[in-house]
Amino acid sequence: MSRVGLALALLVVGCAGPPAVGGRGGGDALIDLWAAVDEGVPTVGGGVDTCLERFGTYNPDFGVRGLACAASPVLPLAQVVERAPVTPFRSGPHTVTADVVAFDFESTAEPRFGRYDPAFVRWAVAHAVPEGASRTLAQPVYDHHVRQIARMYWLAHRDLVEQGYPASLPAGPLADYAAYLRGAPPSAAASVPAYGPGFSVTAFNDESRALLSELGLPLANEYTAIYEGNAAYAFWMRREVDGTRGLWHGGLRDLLAAFDADWLAANG
């Protein structure tokens, strides 16, 4: 393996790991995570309660947290995190044991979230996109389970930058979220009591829906892509705060270049 993108590294977004244990490097560092995604996703049906408790999602069949939940029975994500040379976060609300990775909702009364250690991100983006025959084998996994997520994250980042982020944003939910991350209270439009206190990223529904025409995929249920777009906008803005946005974006570019080059060329 050489450079990696966001797809597999994103599966440990929200995870925290134990102290460094050395771990594997080179071509096999994360290849089994591809297999776990492929095996776990088709068999995760009925796992909503487990996904909600451990990964903070009602949706085990799509989204980054859904993929993480699906993969975890096949390959416990704590074992993946243990391979990194450093723990994923410098600070944050996340917890890990030998067999449990737990997420805290990030739509809390205070804008708490994990601040990534850049060394972890560099490790993640250097170990997960396979080359040669392994890449050929991983291509169907990307196509079936990762492509929509990867494209939505790319489009959301591009949209943020085109709107002037991080220097400025037009008035609206994205600007409100940027202010929220600086300590402002959530805007009225982003406060959804049913989802608990704090800022609900459903406020980004219109922004995410506007990206669908560029996704280049048939959508049996457009909500899945809107959900992923909402998560993507919030992800990129949190990564600006913790200083790792550029590292993650470079990893995503590598992922798309490896598995989705024609689409990237048209949407770069």
Side-chain angles (χ1 to χ4, degrees), residues 72-209:
S72 63
V74 182
L75 176 63
L77 297 188
Q79 293 182 17
V80 178
V81 173
E82 286 175 350
R83 301 172 188 175
V86 297
T87 57
F89 292 103
R90 293 175 293 177
S91 63
H94 312 290
T95 59
V96 66
T97 67
D99 59 355
V100 175
V101 175
F103 293 78
D104 279 4
F105 283 113
E106 291 176 331
S107 57
T108 54
E110 297 179 359
R112 299 185 306 136
F113 59 89
R115 265 70 168 178
Y116 276 102
D117 187 324
F120 172 81
V121 182
R122 292 187 186 98
W123 171 83
V125 301
H127 286 89
V129 168
E131 293 184 333
S134 294
R135 182 178 296 177
T136 301
L137 292 172
Q139 183 72 53
V141 184
Y142 174 88
D143 292 343
H144 296 155
H145 306 306
V146 178
R147 180 171 56 182
Q148 178 175 298
I149 296 174
R151 290 185 181 185
M152 285 301 290
Y153 272 72
W154 183 263
L155 291 171
H157 186 278
R158 191 183 69 182
D159 183 48
L160 280 167
V161 172
E162 288 177 349
Q163 293 193 60
Y165 188 77
S168 63
L169 282 169
L174 295 174
D176 291 344
Y177 189 65
Y180 177 71
L181 293 176
R182 295 192 298 268
S187 60
S191 298
V192 182
Y195 295 159
F199 196 108
S200 170
V201 294
T202 57
F204 306 149
N205 280 355
D206 289 345
E207 284 75 11
S208 296
R209 186 174 288 106

